[in-house]
Amino acid sequence: MEPINEFFQLLSSFLWGWPMIILLLGTHVFLTFRLRIPQRKLFTGIRLSVKKDPGSAGDVSQFGALATALAATIGTGNIVGVATAVALGGPGAVLWCWLTGIFGMATKYAEGLLAVKYRVHGKDGHTYGGPMYALERGLGMKWLAILFAVFTALASFGIGCTVQANSIALLASETFGIPTWMVGLFVCILAACVILGGVKAIARVCTIFVPFMALLYVIGCIVILCMNSAYVWPAIQLIVHAAFNPAAAGGGFVGATVMMAARYGIARGLFSNESGMGSAPIVAAAAQTRNPVRQALVSSTGTFWDTVVICALTGIVLVSSIIAYPDISCADGAALTKVAFSKIPYVGAPLLTFGILTFAFSTILGWSYYGESAVNYIEKRHTNRFYRILYIVALFFGSIINLDIIWNIADCMNALMAIPNLVALLLLSSVAAQETKKYLWSGQLDKDMDED
């Protein structure tokens, strides 16, 4: 298996190199200006996310769709991933990560809009949508739509399933001494209780689970910032200065360059919020919403919460801790995070452990729906129960086997998902602009759409 692993490792490095970063970031910037800076409507999106559109077609509420998307995007990358970006690219990586989230909101907006615009209502009474339907119905590229669905289905068993189960099992084993097979069995049972109920059950759980776990983690970050209060402003200054002059960071970051700070910061931001990857619009299409723009605004807030808030908080916590405690090693992202949270007496380490466990489990729930929707698109027979059982079984095996090759394959599938999705976003940007003009720019945000 070693040659195969090396192949996917090289392919992953190529796919997630500068060409992909430039393509994704370029799409973010292009859509920001093409759609007249939809980020300005952030508070409108937040307000709409907690409202319901009774009588509208769809399977879940707008908030349920947002919570499910956040469940899949808020993961261990928000904790350990940001620390890795800081360790490799210096404190300046935090600013690049944050800027990626700001511009990424426009892409997430366009994804949500096109998902609702081109969604379909199946004979089984459920609503289906996402990039595959936009590619088929909007551009007539069914072959590319099938490719996206295949990559999504494969990615769901990787980054959304076995990888997350493995992270949970290893952490529980190292922290509490529980055998990995027991952890895997418990995760399977817990996930089955939710996943077998379909998207409505997933959305119900995520609606309660996601705000709770995110709030608890944010409170932990705020406590650390209060403890490091004298170093918070210097940390923010260092983050800004180091983004353009990494030598200003000094210490263990000597040798970092502007390109390294930008690369690792942008890559972490893109990977964390999944803007442009095409996963979130799959569940956005199931939302009960009056028109595409309303759900688009709600979807864009997901990138705000994920990257602009949580990733930024994590970054400031880490950099302020590095300044406050110069003895902290900056070389290992995971170790850096553990040391920073251990400064909270008694509850710091358990809080970090709980955060990683819950973030990983929420990702399992969100990606189960993404994969199921992709399989349904390919098969057209809605083999929901078979996929769910297979997904749950994969959780157990993911808990007990070595996943180096799975990590690399999953990274490749995620990148390959993004390419067809970006094609749809760029070629259908005029449609997104027309819909935005119809409902948002003309003040018709409460108007019902025609879903003929």
Side-chain angles (χ1 to χ4, degrees), residues 328-354:
I328 293 180
S329 172
C330 305
D332 186 341
L336 177 59
T337 308
K338 290 180 181 178
V339 172
F341 272 82
S342 67
K343 299 301 180 181
I344 303 179
Y346 306 110
V347 299
L351 178 63
L352 177 62
T353 300
F354 178 79

Side-chain angles (χ1 to χ4, degrees), residues 20-373:
M20 177 61 76
I21 290 175
I22 292 171
L23 179 60
L24 279 165
L25 190 60
T27 302
H28 292 352
V29 175
F30 169 73
L31 290 174
T32 293
F33 293 102
R34 181 72 175 87
L35 302 175
R36 298 187 187 179
I37 315 179
Q39 294 91 331
R40 295 177 299 166
K41 298 296 183 178
L42 170 64
F43 293 106
T44 301
I46 293 174
R47 176 176 57 83
L48 290 174
S49 69
V50 295
K51 293 181 66 177
K52 293 183 178 180
D53 282 351
S56 300
D59 295 332
V60 298
S61 67
Q62 292 180 135
F63 183 72
L66 174 63
T68 304
L70 281 173
T73 54
I74 297 180
T76 54
N78 295 81
I79 303 176
V80 179
V82 175
T84 302
V86 171
L88 296 175
V94 177
L95 179 64
W96 291 108
C97 180
W98 186 79
L99 289 174
T100 301
I102 292 290
F103 285 104
M105 291 172 62
T107 299
K108 191 63 73 72
Y109 169 92
E111 287 179 317
L113 189 155
L114 294 176
V116 177
K117 169 74 175 176
Y118 293 110
R119 68 185 182 180
V120 299
H121 303 291
K123 295 179 180 179
D124 57 356
H126 292 295
T127 305
Y128 299 95
M132 50 276 203
Y133 293 91
L135 285 164
E136 179 185 351
R137 304 184 72 206
L139 295 172
M141 296 182 176
K142 187 169 183 178
W143 64 273
L144 196 55
I146 293 174
L147 279 180
F148 174 85
V150 169
F151 295 144
T152 302
L154 293 174
S156 72
F157 283 103
I159 198 67
C161 177
T162 53
V163 165
Q164 302 301 325
N166 191 260
S167 298
I168 294 173
L170 289 179
L171 182 61
S173 178
E174 292 173 1
T175 306
F176 307 110
I178 306 173
T180 54
W181 70 268
M182 290 185 63
V183 178
L185 186 60
F186 178 74
V187 170
C188 286
I189 295 172
L190 203 59
C193 292
V194 182
I195 292 172
L196 292 177
V199 64
K200 293 184 178 180
I202 294 172
R204 279 197 301 269
V205 172
C206 291
T207 298
I208 301 171
F209 188 59
V210 171
F212 171 74
M213 72 176 193
L215 180 62
L216 195 61
Y217 177 72
V218 167
I219 290 174
C221 289
I222 292 173
V223 170
I224 297 176
L225 292 178
C226 290
M227 294 171 61
N228 298 345
S229 57
Y231 305 98
V232 172
W233 181 243
I236 295 174
Q237 290 179 311
L238 179 60
I239 287 170
V240 175
H241 292 160
F244 307 100
N245 180 25
F253 300 108
V254 174
T257 65
V258 173
M259 295 294 282
M260 288 173 64
R263 177 186 175 183
Y264 290 111
I266 293 171
R268 175 42 48 201
L270 295 173
F271 202 77
S272 173
N273 58 54
E274 297 183 12
S275 293
M277 193 178 294
S279 52
I282 294 175
V283 70
Q288 296 168 339
T289 183
R290 296 183 192 176
N291 58 62
V293 171
R294 288 173 73 92
Q295 182 55 37
L297 290 170
V298 172
S299 294
S300 69
T301 65
T303 299
F304 171 77
W305 296 121
D306 178 273
T307 305
V308 181
V309 175
I310 295 180
C311 284
L313 270 177
T314 303
I316 297 173
V317 162
L318 295 172
V319 177
S320 64
S321 296
I322 292 170
I323 299 174
Y325 310 101
D327 58 321
I328 293 180
S329 172
C330 305
D332 186 341
L336 177 59
T337 308
K338 290 180 181 178
V339 172
F341 272 82
S342 67
K343 299 301 180 181
I344 303 179
Y346 306 110
V347 299
L351 178 63
L352 177 62
T353 300
F354 178 79
I356 293 175
L357 291 175
T358 53
F359 282 13
F361 184 73
S362 70
T363 301
I364 290 172
L365 298 182
W367 269 93
S368 69
Y369 180 69
Y370 295 160
E372 180 181 317
S373 298

Side-chain angles (χ1 to χ4, degrees), residues 389-418:
I389 293 173
L390 191 62
Y391 190 88
I392 292 166
V393 171
L395 285 173
F396 178 78
F397 285 101
S399 303
I400 60 175
I401 62 176
N402 186 299
L403 291 180
D404 287 344
I405 189 171
I406 301 298
W407 262 111
N408 291 321
I409 294 175
D411 284 346
C412 293
M413 293 304 106
N414 284 340
L416 292 172
M417 281 174 61

